[in-house]
Amino acid sequence: MTEFIDVDVRPILRAGGEPFSIIMAALARLEPGEGLRLFAPFRPVPLFDVMASKGFAHREAELEGGEWEIRFMPDDGSFAAAEPAPAATSDSDWPEPAVHLDNRDLDPPEPMVRILASMEQLAPGQTLSALLSREPVFLFRELTRRGHQWRGGFTPQRDAYQLTVRVRA
């Protein structure tokens, strides 16, 4: 049975804050076999893809007043996650990026808009590289929906998020 660490982001969101870093910090503190129980004022759909890419499946339950409890558990294959993580391929399968964007100084949603617009100009199989000031959680679902593959992570200095996207073939 999975032990859960509780994270209640409802007060943070009500105060106008952004809870993503708090969720990721709690995730980093998990011990093997532990899960994260999240309480939110809405169903955090973009977070499902992020957590799936980190090896967590989820179960969700609507609470009174439209609030949600989502349990993220290490995905051992015992039940299906909301969507699969991006397809795993080796680095040698990806061509050098045809487009390089530096979106670090842009406010949301401009980085997402610029990346999606640039993707429309690329041929199937071409890649785009983008530097961002934060992990683009809302972009992941849209890229997956459009059939593109992506991979990303923070630079070693943790001063930027490096995203590479490959146009669907």
Side-chain angles (χ1 to χ4, degrees):
M1 187 161 132
T2 303
E3 296 284 328
F4 289 95
I5 304 300
D6 289 342
V7 176
D8 190 345
V9 299
R10 296 173 292 190
I12 297 165
L13 289 165
R14 286 186 192 114
E18 170 55 55
F20 186 74
S21 62
I22 292 165
I23 296 167
M24 292 298 107
L27 184 66
R29 290 192 307 268
L30 293 180
E31 297 292 328
E34 285 185 328
L36 184 74
R37 183 175 18 239
L38 180 73
F39 295 95
F42 57 87
R43 188 171 170 255
V45 174
L47 187 59
F48 299 158
D49 289 335
V50 172
M51 295 297 282
S53 74
K54 296 182 181 300
F56 286 82
H58 76 278
R59 293 223 173 127
E60 55 194 75
E62 188 170 7
L63 306 173
E64 289 185 29
E67 295 187 339
W68 290 83
E69 174 188 321
I70 299 90
R71 292 178 294 145
F72 293 101
M73 297 153 284
D75 190 359
D76 60 4
S78 62
F79 62 94
E83 289 183 21
T89 57
S90 70
D91 287 338
S92 63
D93 293 342
W94 288 50
E96 285 296 312
V99 173
H100 296 272
L101 299 174
D102 187 344
N103 292 338
R104 290 178 287 182
D105 292 332
L106 302 175
D107 291 325
E110 191 61 29
M112 180 173 168
V113 170
R114 286 188 66 200
I115 290 168
L116 293 174
S118 294
M119 296 298 298
E120 296 296 322
Q121 305 303 313
L122 297 177
Q126 284 189 307
T127 61
L128 169 146
S129 174
L131 287 174
L132 304 150
S133 61
R134 60 179 60 100
E135 188 171 21
V137 295
F138 297 108
L139 177 60
F140 295 146
R141 179 171 291 279
E142 188 60 27
L143 292 171
T144 301
R145 187 184 74 74
R146 293 180 183 206
H148 304 310
Q149 293 177 319
W150 55 269
R151 54 174 65 151
F154 284 98
T155 60
Q157 302 82 11
R158 304 214 38 93
D159 62 346
Y161 190 90
Q162 172 69 50
L163 176 70
T164 304
V165 183
R166 181 167 60 180
V167 177
R168 74 167 183 254

